[in-house]
Amino acid sequence: MSISASEMILPATKKNVKLSVSENQDRLSDLPDCVILHILSFLNAKQAVQTCVLSIRYENLWKRIPVLILDSSESNFRTLKIFTEFVSNVLSHRDSSISLQTLNFKRKHGRLEPQIIRNIVDYALSHNVQQLGLCFNGNTVQTLPSMFSSQSLTHLNLSIYPSGGYHAWFPKSFNLPALTNLRLENFIFYIGDDDRAEPFSIFNRLNNLCICNCAMLHGKILCISSVTLVNLTIHSLYLNYYKIDLCTPSLCTLVFTGTPFQKLYGSNVSSLKHVDIHAEVKQYHEKSPLLLSRWLREFANIKSLTVSATTLQVLSLIPNLSQISPPSLGNLKSLKVKMEELTPGFRMTLLDAKLYNAESKNERKRLRKKFKEEGSGSLIPDGIVNFLLQNSPSAEVEFIDCTNQPPRAIDL
């Protein structure tokens, strides 16, 4: 006796199972195109194109998606040639009458022909793209200087990784009058005749700026000048000393993650109200704790301060901390301390720093013994919170348990 496929898959039952009308209904097909297009916008381009085999309705639907996510990872494409041909086909077959809201391109590893980037960006800008993200290995001289002129672009994210591991030069000029959000990673800024770099003053509507592992040559001054900037995020892990001059009268929030190697000045930060610092040190240098302390003196008018446990550990490395003047945070209303586990690497850096500052051989011996028995001690160094709040009589302190949370993402 033959057995049907359904009988092989479904277990035998005494009663026939009858699905209700609601259970057997194809709800996805009842959705309007605009809703399905919104759903498809969350997929990368390869996945979106693959939906064309679902039904006749989907055959051309992907061509109208307002978001393109082009990711060349090995899980999506085996070779660069396959990826390049795919990109060309997507751009040539997409409905050119549909404006492009967002285009994100990512090829963080492996070589890349500059012409691919130029084709992608030319297409995006010619279709009135509003949000553009580029992450790739390449040479900005070949791809970036002449291409960024757009009346529609509001969000720009550039993460460039030149060959040889060096930074990329940030282009000298853009024509982006509508730009409000800018994120840069791995750039060097050009210095003018006055030994200053002022790359952001040309963006007249800039509200949010994130600079990640960007550098200056020869310890010069980076001037962040913008009358519209509200939120600033800085992430820095490189040993690169330079000065940052904040000429930002509308700045409300400042976030810093990484190692404090920069001298920070606030020539115009009267509106700054919220500061979040997640400081750490990969390799101890005596300047970092002192620079961090000077930052806090620049933020005399802030109302809220959020710091990580590692930030307080770095501050505690200042020799003779009790003898220096505490920050003048007279308007501070809230101090939040994020209680995060200290990594083994950070604990070793703390020990190295304490050994470096030790005044005698006996003290170094005692520190090594204590570290062997207790590690680096408590998350919060004794007296450091009181040091911060000596001039903040109205501040409330909140300790936030982050020990079970995953490591913080940098995005700023």
Side-chain angles (χ1 to χ4, degrees), residues 2 12 27 42 54 81 86 116 141-142 144 156 205 215 217 223 230 239 241 329 332:
S2 63
R27 293 186 177 90
F42 291 94
L54 296 177
K81 181 180 179 181
F86 173 79
I116 299 176
V141 174
Q142 297 175 338
L144 295 182
L156 178 60
R205 296 185 181 181
L217 294 181
C223 180
V230 176
L239 180 62
Y241 289 106
L329 303 175
L332 192 69

Side-chain angles (χ1 to χ4, degrees), residues 35 114 148 182 203 206 218 266 268 277 284 375:
V35 175
F148 281 105
L182 177 63
F203 304 120
L206 191 63
H218 312 303
N268 194 344
I277 302 177
Y284 176 65

Side-chain angles (χ1 to χ4, degrees), residues 313-331:
Q313 291 283 355
V314 173
L315 276 174
S316 71
L317 296 177
I318 300 176
N320 303 315
L321 181 63
S322 60
Q323 299 179 16
I324 71 171
S325 300
S328 300
L329 303 175
N331 295 327

